[in-house]
Amino acid sequence: MAAPAARKPAHHGWFAGHRPAPGRRTGAPGDAATVLRCARALGPSGVLFCLSQFLHGSEPDALLQQLPLRYVRLSPRYSGARADPALSERLRGVIDNAHRLGLLVIGPQVEEPQGAATLWMSGIDLIQGNLVQQADGNLDFDFAHAVL
């Protein structure tokens, strides 16, 4: 939907309850300004924005403050933070910074319980991934005593 049509009050209800519009930083000059103009045009209509593939750095951190975001979806690299203490520390810093800005943080591509536990203990808000156990005739997973 074009921005002028989205700004019409008759269309505002259409956006309510719809999924966030994802975006990722491509590094091309002027992208941030273009995205900011688009977000400011569509934001009043109820569009929620999510910055995807987020990795800590001075430029991406600045985008968190400039763009009218609701969500930040981390780079899959952070899913392996339990194996790297330095990465785990950066993960906590990224999550704390996002929370200070009022953003919800999404951890993507989580496919093992230990990775999910690391993200949860770091303060992540939402997890995306495939945590379903492989199909087996026994299905011997102990749901009553499982600990992440």
Side-chain angles (χ1 to χ4, degrees):
M1 180 179 290
R7 284 191 294 261
K8 292 182 180 177
H11 294 131
H12 287 194
W14 184 87
F15 291 110
H18 284 71
R19 67 185 211 131
R24 75 173 67 165
R25 180 81 174 116
T26 62
D31 279 352
T34 302
V35 171
L36 183 57
R37 280 195 308 275
C38 177
R40 285 185 176 156
L42 295 176
S45 300
V47 175
L48 303 176
F49 291 91
C50 174
L51 185 63
S52 294
Q53 302 293 322
F54 182 83
L55 273 173
H56 170 69
S58 59
E59 187 177 344
D61 288 347
L63 282 176
L64 289 182
Q65 295 179 3
Q66 294 171 5
L67 297 175
L69 300 170
R70 179 65 179 126
Y71 303 93
V72 59
R73 186 173 181 261
L74 300 177
S75 166
R77 182 180 303 174
Y78 288 110
S79 296
R82 71 183 167 86
D84 181 351
L87 183 60
S88 182
E89 191 61 34
R90 282 193 303 271
L91 171 64
R92 279 191 285 281
V94 166
I95 293 170
D96 289 345
N97 185 42
H99 286 162
R100 276 192 297 277
L101 296 170
L103 304 175
L104 295 175
V105 184
I106 303 168
Q109 298 180 4
V110 179
E111 298 189 3
E112 59 177 345
Q114 294 83 5
T118 299
L119 290 170
W120 280 122
M121 291 186 314
S122 297
I124 204 89
D125 298 299
L126 304 163
I127 289 180
Q128 292 177 323
N130 184 6
L131 290 172
V132 178
Q133 184 177 358
Q134 187 72 8
D136 186 359
N138 296 330
L139 290 178
D140 58 357
F141 186 79
D142 185 359
F143 287 97
H145 297 96
V147 177
L148 289 179

